[in-house]
Amino acid sequence: MMKLSNSEILKAKNSRIKWIALNGIGLMTLAVLLYLRAKNHQLDTTFMTLQITEFCFGIINISIFSLMIRDSFRIKKQGLVTQ
């Protein structure tokens, strides 16, 4: 396994923050659209497509957060962050 330097890990974490923000905006937009469609009883194929898309965004979000947690443990293990 290749050992990354702390600066490379920090750069990766910082670049993921932008993706988390974009993903969050997408999730919020989909949540509002799904709410409005459900409120108006428009439970059709468009609703299901939006629901599946929101589910995929959620999986991506969990994956990105998992990578962030992994990198946090790496940084702490390498001694960049002290308590």
Side-chain angles (χ1 to χ4, degrees):
M1 181 189 235
M2 187 174 87
K3 186 173 182 177
L4 296 173
S5 71
N6 286 333
S7 63
E8 290 171 341
I9 295 171
L10 290 173
K11 285 178 187 175
K13 282 187 69 147
N14 285 334
S15 70
R16 284 190 205 111
I17 290 172
K18 296 172 191 169
W19 290 106
I20 289 172
L22 287 173
N23 198 1
I25 292 168
L27 281 168
M28 291 298 295
T29 304
L30 286 167
V32 169
L33 289 173
L34 286 167
Y35 167 76
L36 293 173
R37 291 188 75 81
K39 183 180 173 185
N40 294 324
H41 303 288
Q42 295 174 330
L43 305 176
D44 52 3
T45 55
T46 303
F47 180 86
M48 289 305 298
T49 303
L50 291 172
Q51 188 71 51
I52 292 168
T53 305
E54 184 185 36
F55 181 74
C56 292
F57 271 60
I59 290 172
I60 292 168
N61 218 18
I62 290 170
S63 300
I64 294 171
F65 275 112
S66 298
L67 292 172
M68 296 284 280
I69 292 169
R70 181 200 66 189
D71 287 347
S72 295
F73 284 126
R74 282 184 177 176
I75 290 170
K76 187 173 181 180
K77 186 177 180 180
Q78 292 180 8
L80 181 64
V81 177
T82 57
Q83 291 184 352

